[in-house]
Amino acid sequence: MIERTFVMIKPDAVLRGLVGEVISRLERKGLKIVGMRMIKMSEEEASSLYSVHKGKPFYDELIRFIRSAPVVVMAIEGESAISVVRRLIGPTDSKEAPPGTVRGDFSCSKSMNIIHASDSLDNAQRELSIFFKDSEVLSYSRLDESLVR
Ligand code: CMP
């Protein structure tokens, strides 16, 4: 099933010049970028995105970190995009992330872990709606789309 998911390149990746590398991995996998913007996240956007973590010991630090520098927010579309992207980026704790995954290749940290991606269809819809209006998500076909079955 074609799914749409929310992906965010985090401040650590932006400050380390890894934006192109991360986007390139998503594109080369065959995923389609249907929305993209670089932003400095507001307090409201950050607390809405991470509302499920409110009250956890790392919450304040997480909000501070995510607002410390620009992030790149993206709407990504593709076959089973939610699980495909999650496998591509690796587990939250980058120390556990296998080589070949984004986190496995570029981070050793649980908090500065390069990238965020939605973990379910419901969360994808909720997270996308925080950052994108419907009109900001674009419709087009990749030339290689017909090769993916
Ligand atoms: P992310 O995929 O953005 O979703 C929630 C984020 O909280 C997670 O990646 C980590 O960056 C962060 N996080 C989760 N658990 C911890 C933890 N124990 N310590 C610090 N940060 C955490």
Side-chain angles (χ1 to χ4, degrees):
M1 189 179 70
I2 300 292
E3 295 173 345
R4 191 179 288 167
T5 189
F6 172 70
V7 174
M8 171 178 62
I9 303 177
K10 295 187 179 185
D12 53 328
V14 172
L15 296 181
R16 289 171 59 194
L18 292 171
V19 170
E21 171 72 36
V22 174
I23 290 175
S24 178
R25 287 182 179 219
L26 296 166
E27 286 190 314
R28 283 182 291 165
K29 181 70 177 168
L31 295 156
K32 182 160 62 175
I33 302 166
V34 291
M36 180 160 67
R37 223 165 61 245
M38 180 178 263
I39 59 165
K40 193 85 181 286
M41 208 181 284
S42 70
E43 178 86 45
E44 294 70 32
E45 288 167 332
S47 56
S48 178
L49 176 63
Y50 285 128
S51 57
V52 293
H53 297 297
K54 200 166 170 58
K56 294 185 183 167
F58 59 86
Y59 178 78
D60 289 347
E61 184 50 41
L62 175 61
I63 298 296
R64 208 171 10 253
F65 166 60
I66 219 65
R67 302 192 59 224
S68 63
V71 297
V72 177
V73 290
M74 290 183 280
I76 297 288
E77 226 172 63
E79 185 64 39
S80 304
I82 291 166
S83 59
V84 166
V85 173
R86 296 280 290 185
R87 276 200 294 277
L88 199 84
I89 74 178
T92 303
D93 188 347
S94 303
K95 290 191 294 302
E96 308 294 327
T101 63
V102 174
R103 287 166 171 164
D105 287 349
F106 298 113
S107 169
C108 285
S109 169
K110 203 178 211 175
S111 47
M112 296 186 185
N113 60 358
I114 308 282
I115 187 166
H116 164 88
S118 310
D119 61 3
S120 68
L121 215 47
D122 284 351
N123 278 338
Q125 280 165 3
R126 191 184 68 78
E127 293 171 0
L128 282 167
S129 73
I130 299 170
F131 299 99
F132 293 97
K133 299 186 203 122
D134 286 349
S135 61
E136 292 171 331
V137 178
L138 309 174
S139 181
Y140 67 100
S141 296
R142 276 181 57 138
L143 290 176
D144 58 357
E145 230 167 88
S146 60
L147 303 176
V148 183
R149 285 278 181 273

